[in-house]
Amino acid sequence: MAPSAVSMVFTVESVKSPDALEKGRKPPDGHSFDEALELAGFGRVQIVLSILAGLGMMASINEAMGMSIILPASQCDLDLDAGEKGIVGGAVFLGTMFSSYFWGYLADTRGRQLILKYALFATSFFGAISCLATGFVSLLVLRFLTGVCVAAPASTVYAYLGEFTTPSRRSQMLSFASVWGGVGIVYVSLVGWWILSYDWAFVITDSFEFKPWRLLFIINTLPALLNGIAFCFCPESPKFLVSQGRNEEALEVLKMVYKLNKGTDTADGYEVQKLRLDPEDAIAREQNGDKSGGLLKSMIQQTIPIVKLPYLVYFIICCVHNIGAFAIYGGLGLWFPDIMNQVFSQDASDEGKKVCAILQRNETLPIVTEVTLCDDEVKIETFLYTLLLGVIGCIYALITSAVLGKFDQKVMMVFNCIVAGICGIALQFIANSYAVAILFCLEIVFAGYCVLLVNANVVAIFPTNVRAMAVALTNMIGRLSCFVASAVIGLLMLQNCPVTFYMLSGLLFLCAGLTFLLPKK
């Protein structure tokens, strides 16, 4: 990205750049945070942190998309019908929705790094013990608790990475980190394909057998465990430290960034000796100074700036954006492997039928067939096209990272929404199974990338002291739609598939229109 480009993630302050300062001359009142970060340089620290942030995104993807592969394989053992599968699959999003507000508050008041490492450990714990579920209720509870924990890394990593990256590179690094979302889909599809190819079973009790699909829970959550360990060795966000009045600690972190990026043993060449307080940090310190009233009052005070004009308008728009993006990416994405399984399981009489005809035909099959013979086989094509979904996501994220800065972020948002919407409409008229799979992949990938753009907008619009809270709240609204979509999309499609696709596409077109109401960066 050209140095003069406007960051998609943070508004570039109208101050002189560090290069504009005369050599050897320091500002009398100290450097601003962005000046200090520029002088610390861009290098291995930002690259490593972008990978760790990406792994945090991958952890949330693994828990959500991993279930979409586990559910078809476990439906017979757990005796799950279509409605129960939708509810269990959406339980992670429901847990995320319930906890996002609290995690956002903790990240803004206790620290990004602290919350990230503990939440990732908790995610790996509940994700792993989900393998012990014996029925609908126990699996629902365990997946809900997993969602409660994964809410923190799913949103806090955006603020953490953004606050370590220089203004001219922030949007690109967030986009690069999003590549790991696609890697997560590739990961769950490959390990799912590998593990579910086995047919062993360990009998623990008369009513409990440990089968390959149970092992998938443990393998899918390994990235979260490794990511939590890695964050134990990471520093706190210096921007957060400044907002809390801990300038000396922030300066030490910046010096460490300088040494690692420059490859030196000392920070003698680092010009920054004092950090100048930015206006938004002054506001944050003033708010942090009033701790009376307890936790509830503190959380309310943390939220009030978000629901005041002009932020309220932007907050509502970003919530609508996330509703549309998550409904497609999470809701429809959760059903993607199951839909592909049905599409590629059709018999000769179904050849040439459109996807809606196939789904609605499967619903009209006699119930006796399902009761007497439960089929938990996951077709090879299901893994292949889930893998393709992840590969397309990775490639698109890499391409976008390369061109980011050459296109206005509003144009990118509109482009993604419209392409996803058109793909949804086109699915009504395509009969070829392979074309259907490609259109599904494109719709989910383009809608999913809108999640990154929305979070980037939120980080750009809201100040440091409420940034993580704002990201968490918009994601909470988005994941509510994700839970609703995952729970009812399957049933709605079976009842009136074309109308369902038109509704989802119309929601994306609405998001495209609202994009122009966001503030210009």
Side-chain angles (χ1 to χ4, degrees), residues 33-365:
F33 177 79
D34 279 342
E35 288 174 342
L37 196 56
E38 288 281 1
L39 289 170
F42 177 88
R44 65 185 71 177
V45 171
Q46 286 76 16
I47 292 174
V48 169
L49 290 182
S50 69
I51 294 174
L52 293 182
L55 288 172
M57 300 178 194
M58 180 179 172
S60 62
I61 293 294
N62 284 10
E63 297 300 337
M65 290 300 296
M67 280 303 297
S68 66
I69 291 177
I70 292 174
L71 283 173
S74 63
Q75 60 183 349
C76 296
D77 291 324
L78 299 179
D79 193 23
L80 302 176
D81 58 31
E84 290 173 337
K85 285 194 293 181
I87 293 173
V88 169
V92 168
F93 304 116
L94 186 64
T96 301
M97 181 201 71
F98 272 100
S99 63
S100 290
Y101 181 81
F102 186 64
W103 285 124
Y105 167 77
L106 290 178
D108 279 331
T109 56
R110 299 293 185 267
R112 324 304 200 202
Q113 180 262 359
L114 182 71
I115 297 305
L116 278 170
K117 65 180 181 182
Y118 286 124
L120 284 164
F121 285 136
T123 297
S124 61
F125 173 75
F126 286 111
I129 66 171
S130 295
C131 71
L132 302 178
T134 56
F136 169 71
V137 175
S138 59
L139 184 59
L140 177 65
V141 171
L142 289 169
R143 297 317 293 166
F144 175 82
L145 292 174
T146 304
V148 167
C149 300
V150 83
S155 56
T156 307
V157 289
Y158 291 95
Y160 184 78
L161 176 60
E163 292 171 355
F164 264 101
T165 312
T166 53
S168 61
R169 301 261 190 175
R170 281 170 180 154
S171 55
Q172 282 184 313
M173 296 313 294
L174 269 181
S175 184
F176 175 72
S178 71
V179 172
W180 289 88
V183 173
I185 299 176
V186 172
Y187 176 86
V188 296
S189 59
L190 285 178
V191 298
W193 193 354
W194 171 43
I195 297 298
L196 294 180
S197 65
Y198 296 100
D199 193 25
W200 46 260
F202 294 106
V203 179
I204 308 299
T205 66
D206 293 339
S207 59
F208 183 87
E209 291 183 347
F210 194 88
K211 292 186 174 181
W213 64 264
R214 294 185 182 277
L215 179 60
L216 271 183
F217 280 113
I218 300 174
I219 295 179
N220 286 344
T221 202
L222 285 178
L225 176 62
L226 297 176
N227 201 21
I229 295 173
F231 269 113
C232 291
F233 301 96
C234 294
E236 183 56 83
S237 160
K239 183 70 170 176
F240 168 79
L241 293 174
V242 169
S243 71
Q244 299 293 303
R246 298 156 63 181
N247 282 30
E248 292 302 319
E249 294 178 56
L251 192 55
E252 288 302 314
V253 172
L254 289 170
K255 288 180 179 179
M256 182 199 69
V257 172
Y258 173 85
K259 288 189 291 185
L260 291 174
N261 282 342
K262 302 298 182 182
T264 62
D265 295 328
T266 65
D268 295 339
Y270 190 51
E271 300 176 24
V272 180
Q273 300 299 323
K274 181 181 178 183
L275 292 172
R276 184 173 70 243
L277 192 65
D278 293 331
E280 67 174 45
D281 295 327
I283 295 174
R285 288 191 188 185
E286 183 179 345
Q287 292 180 349
N288 291 331
D290 183 13
K291 298 295 184 180
S292 60
L295 176 64
L296 181 60
K297 181 180 178 181
S298 179
M299 293 180 70
I300 294 174
Q301 289 176 338
Q302 193 76 12
T303 310
I304 287 176
I306 299 174
V307 296
K308 282 185 176 180
L309 293 174
Y311 293 127
L312 177 60
V313 175
Y314 306 142
F315 175 70
I316 293 173
I317 293 173
C318 290
C319 284
V320 174
H321 278 160
N322 261 350
I323 288 173
F326 272 104
I328 306 294
Y329 183 60
L332 189 60
L334 179 71
W335 282 96
F336 175 74
D338 196 60
I339 292 174
M340 288 298 97
N341 214 34
Q342 294 188 48
V343 169
F344 287 99
S345 296
Q346 58 183 313
D347 53 38
S349 62
D350 290 326
E351 295 267 338
K353 284 190 175 181
K354 299 181 178 66
V355 62
C356 284
I358 296 171
L359 295 176
Q360 291 176 329
R361 175 193 177 279
N362 288 340
E363 174 66 5
T364 59
L365 290 176

Side-chain angles (χ1 to χ4, degrees), residues 442-480:
L442 292 177
E443 181 179 12
I444 295 170
V445 166
F446 278 88
Y449 204 81
C450 290
V451 176
L452 169 72
L453 296 175
V454 174
N455 284 322
N457 272 323
V458 174
V459 173
I461 294 169
F462 293 90
T464 307
N465 61 306
V466 296
R467 183 170 291 144
M469 175 73 83
V471 172
L473 284 175
T474 52
N475 281 327
M476 180 183 76
I477 301 299
R479 287 184 173 88
L480 172 61

